């Protein structure tokens, strides 16, 4: 493989930088979900936290700006040193081996479709060597599935990185969905592999980075075509004379006096800057004065707070913009970019377009979620990944927090997320396995917070709500709580029966007592379709006698096939 040309070198550097940044964002968003399903090899629920800490160490090293040329190989080696130094837990070490494979690959060749295939294949080999006993149903097998898929595409002559990156995400998502079939520990806990979910975040980040690059390139090409277009004919003198006699567009502006130049009152037609989301800082070499002026003009179109200044050798560039990719490409077009920093800015409150979408069955639950400010997808007739994706896209918002409330399993949510991304939208799925957990999450939703903080607060509230449900036994069976007959009342935590009662009047109180055995401050009873007003009768008195000081809230949920749900916070 020959050396990269100047433009390709900077293109790969920009792509790698975006990949690393978006990977860190993805892991931060998914940390609660990844930690929640972490049961293999040890149920210590820290895989998401360790992968995020490892990635942040790499990103910190990348943004310390060592005095090296701006190219993908140097960035990859710098990131690799950071993740190696900051690797936490086995998941962090595995992640560092993935970036080692990427760094070794793009030191030799371009980050294109074949290069990506080579990097993934090498990562599978390195992780296989690093792990004492690699097994199916883990991050290793998820990476292998993605690597095999894109190797097939490259062998078929598919040369577009965007195509193989998207295919890798799809293959990885399917592999994650299969992990419970491969590991009995996952099947028993009814979860997918946490490390596999983390790998999915990394691969999905590259797919998004490539999409960003394509959009930025299209904008750059359009700008270059516009700049190369022939100049328009000069305005005829008689037309200039007419324009000079036209007053200001603002009716309250002061009239022009005879000795004031006409151009002071000519209306300015400027492109309204897009909402600023990023601070972009560049350092360039070899920029002529004319190129610097063009760069300053281009950045003024992309955003505001534009500063382009230097000492005749180095040029410092600063801009606040919503299109960081276009700003970096403008710098590359002007000269040699030797350093770059892209920082997320606090999003203006007026620009926040965030919503919560709750999956709920029945008018009671729908009213409760709507009363808390959430949108509701009625799942009374059933729900599918496609239907959920359509509901998210139909909201037309930048940020949608989804409360699944146990209506879809993890593979279904992964498929929905893939379909949402394919339609150019994004959603964050919170770990809510029941309606009471969803209500706990939406109760602390604050659209004024940054998205990551809001998601963490909601996910923590959901995770802190222990829950159980009271149902009617349909047949005679033996359970962990003893033998039951058809018509008995069963208390379930997850899918495990923890209580068998013959009398409805005592079943709910006994279930609440069982839930409060490990403590609690608030009990929420969500009455279902099989329950009625009598279900909660006497609960206030029972709580006062048995659990004084603990608050009780009874709500009409109307959820199907249940007498009640009980939540303890």
């Amino acid at each position: 493989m020959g050396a990269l040309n100047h433009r390709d070198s900077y293109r790969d550097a920009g792509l790698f930088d975006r990949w690393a940044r978006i990977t860190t964002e993805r892991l931060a968003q998914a940390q609660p979900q990844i930690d929640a399903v972490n049961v293999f090899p040890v149920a210590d629920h820290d895989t998401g936290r360790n992968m995020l800490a490892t990635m942040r160490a790499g990103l910190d090293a990348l943004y310390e700006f060592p005095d090296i040329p701006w190219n993908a190989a140097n960035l990859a080696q710098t990131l690799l040193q950071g993740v190696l130094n900051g690797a936490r837990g086995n998941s962090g070490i595995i992640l560092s081996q993935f970036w080692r494979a990427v760094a070794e690959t793009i030191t030799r060749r371009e980050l294109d479709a074949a290069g990506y295939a080579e990097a993934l294949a090498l990562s599978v080999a390195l992780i296989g060597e690093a792990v004492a006993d690699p097994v199916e149903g883990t991050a290793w097998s998820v990476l292998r599935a993605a690597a095999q898929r894109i190797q097939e595409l490259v062998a078929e002559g598919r040369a577009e990185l965007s195509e193989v990156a998207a295919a890798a995400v799809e293959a990885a998502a399917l592999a994650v969905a299969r992990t419970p079939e491969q590991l009995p520990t996952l099947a028993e806990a009814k979860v997918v592999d946490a490390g596999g979910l983390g790998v999915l975040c990394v691969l999905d980040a590259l797919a998004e980075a490539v999409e960003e690059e394509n959009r930025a390139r299209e904008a750059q090409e359009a700008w270059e075509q516009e700049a190369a277009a022939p100049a328009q004919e000069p305005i005829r003198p008689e037309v200039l004379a007419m324009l000079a006699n036209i007053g200001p567009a603002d009716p309250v502006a002061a009239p022009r006096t005879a000795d004031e130049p006409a151009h002071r009152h000519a209306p300015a037609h400027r492109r309204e800057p897009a909402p600023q989301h990023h601070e972009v800082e560049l350092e360039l070499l070899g920029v002529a004065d004319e190129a610097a002026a063009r760069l300053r003009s281009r950045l003024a179109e992309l955003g505001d707070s534009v500063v382009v200044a230097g000492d005749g050798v180095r040029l410092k560039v600063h801009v606040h913009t919503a299109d960081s990719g276009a700003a970096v490409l403008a710098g590359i077009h002007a000269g040699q970019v030797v350093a770059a920093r892209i920082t997320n800015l606090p999003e203006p409150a007026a620009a926040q377009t965030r919503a919560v979408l709750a999956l709920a069955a029945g008018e009671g639950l729908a009213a409760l979620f709507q009363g808390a400010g959430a949108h509701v997808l009625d799942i009374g007739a059933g729900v599918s990944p496609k239907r959920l994706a359509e509901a998210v896209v139909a909201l037309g918002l930048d940020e949608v927090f989804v409360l699944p409330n146990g209506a879809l399993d993890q593979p279904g949510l992964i498929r929905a997320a893939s379909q949402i991304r394919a339609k150019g939208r994004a959603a964050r799925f919170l770990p809510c396995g029941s309606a009471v957990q969803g209500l706990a999450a939406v109760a602390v939703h604050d659209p004024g917070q940054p998205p990551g903080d809001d998601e963490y607060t909601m996910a923590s509230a959901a995770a802190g709500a222990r829950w159980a449900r009271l149902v009617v036994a349909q047949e005679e069976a033996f359970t962990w709580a003893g033998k039951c007959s058809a018509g008995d009342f069963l208390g379930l935590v997850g899918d495990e029966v923890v209580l068998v009662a013959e009398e409805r009047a005592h079943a709910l109180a006994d279930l609440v007592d069982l839930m409060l055995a490990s403590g609690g401050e608030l009990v929420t009873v969500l009455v279902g379709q099989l329950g009625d007003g009598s279900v909660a009768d006497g609960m206030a008195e029972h709580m006062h006698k048995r659990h004084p000081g603990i608050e009780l809230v009874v709500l009409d949920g109307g959820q199907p096939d249940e007498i009640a749900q009980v939540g303890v916070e």
Side-chain angles (χ1 to χ4, degrees), residues 322-343:
D323 195 346
S324 56
V328 173
L329 282 177
I332 293 172
H333 186 71
Q336 180 184 0
V337 177
V338 295
R341 183 194 298 270
I342 301 174
T343 306

Side-chain angles (χ1 to χ4, degrees), residues 364-365 368-369 434-443 461-462 464-470 492 508-509 511-513 515-516 519-528 535-536 539-540 543 547 550-559 562-569:
L365 277 181
L368 290 172
F369 281 108
S434 67
V436 290
Q437 286 186 314
L439 289 170
V442 75
R466 306 190 308 277
W467 69 283
R469 54 199 175 106
L470 189 64
L492 293 91
L508 182 60
L511 182 59
V512 169
D513 290 345
M515 295 290 291
L516 287 174
E521 298 176 354
L522 170 66
V523 174
T524 301
V525 175
L526 205 57
V527 180
V535 171
M539 278 301 301
M543 293 292 294
H547 309 286
I550 296 179
E551 184 179 358
L552 171 68
V553 176
V554 179
L555 301 171
D556 181 14
Q559 63 273 19
E562 292 179 350
I563 297 172
Q565 276 188 28
V566 176
V568 175
E569 301 176 52

Side-chain angles (χ1 to χ4, degrees), residues 189-420:
K190 294 182 173 58
V191 296
V192 296
D193 181 63
L197 280 180
V199 165
L200 184 57
C201 290
V202 178
L203 302 185
D204 185 64
L206 178 61
E208 180 170 339
V210 174
E211 289 179 5
E212 279 189 7
E213 179 192 51
N214 291 341
R215 291 194 296 268
R217 183 185 295 116
E218 291 170 0
Q220 178 75 7
E221 290 173 352
W223 175 52
E224 291 176 349
Q225 291 173 2
E226 181 179 346
Q232 296 179 346
E233 278 188 85
I235 300 177
R236 290 176 291 132
E238 56 269 30
V239 177
L240 284 173
M242 292 172 59
L243 291 174
N245 291 323
I246 296 178
D250 186 351
V252 301
R256 178 170 54 91
T257 60
D259 58 347
E260 284 183 314
H263 65 80
R264 285 185 57 185
H265 294 281
H269 299 285
R270 292 193 56 183
R271 178 180 179 269
E272 193 69 25
Q276 278 71 56
H277 302 301
H278 310 289
E279 180 184 57
V280 179
E281 298 170 274
L282 307 174
E283 185 175 332
L284 289 79
L285 295 177
V287 182
D289 291 343
E290 184 179 352
R294 288 198 302 268
L295 175 59
R296 188 179 292 107
S297 175
R298 172 58 176 156
L299 294 178
E301 294 179 350
L302 292 172
D304 61 15
S305 298
V306 176
V307 178
V308 178
D311 58 5
V313 178
R314 291 179 179 267
L315 194 70
K316 295 285 188 177
V317 177
H318 176 279
V319 62
H320 290 172
T321 177
D323 195 346
S324 56
V328 173
L329 282 177
I332 293 172
H333 186 71
Q336 180 184 0
V337 177
V338 295
R341 183 194 298 270
I342 301 174
T343 306
N344 288 338
L345 293 172
E347 200 165 337
Q352 290 182 349
T353 53
R354 194 185 316 162
V356 175
L357 177 65
L359 278 60
E363 295 181 358
L365 277 181
L368 290 172
F369 281 108
Q370 288 170 346
H375 297 266
V376 173
L377 174 61
D378 184 0
I379 59 171
V383 65
S384 65
K386 179 181 178 182
R387 188 163 171 241
L388 174 55
E390 290 172 347
V392 170
V393 173
L395 291 176
L397 299 175
D398 296 334
E399 293 279 351
V400 179
F401 289 178
V402 178
L403 307 178
N405 299 331
L408 271 179
D409 58 14
Q410 196 76 26
L413 295 177
I414 292 172
R415 288 194 295 272
S418 178
Q419 293 175 25
I420 292 167

Side-chain angles (χ1 to χ4, degrees), residues 89-144:
N90 65 337
S91 56
I93 296 173
I94 288 171
L95 183 59
S96 73
Q97 293 305 293
F98 173 85
W99 290 112
R100 175 186 168 190
V102 173
E104 290 185 6
T105 300
I106 61 180
T107 298
R108 298 190 302 268
R109 59 170 304 144
E110 183 180 355
L111 183 56
D112 55 7
Y116 187 35
E118 183 177 321
L120 285 192
L122 180 57
S123 74
V124 174
L126 290 177
I127 293 170
E129 294 173 1
V131 177
D133 185 21
V135 297
E136 300 294 326
T138 61
W140 174 71
S141 61
V142 170
L143 270 174
R144 192 185 65 207

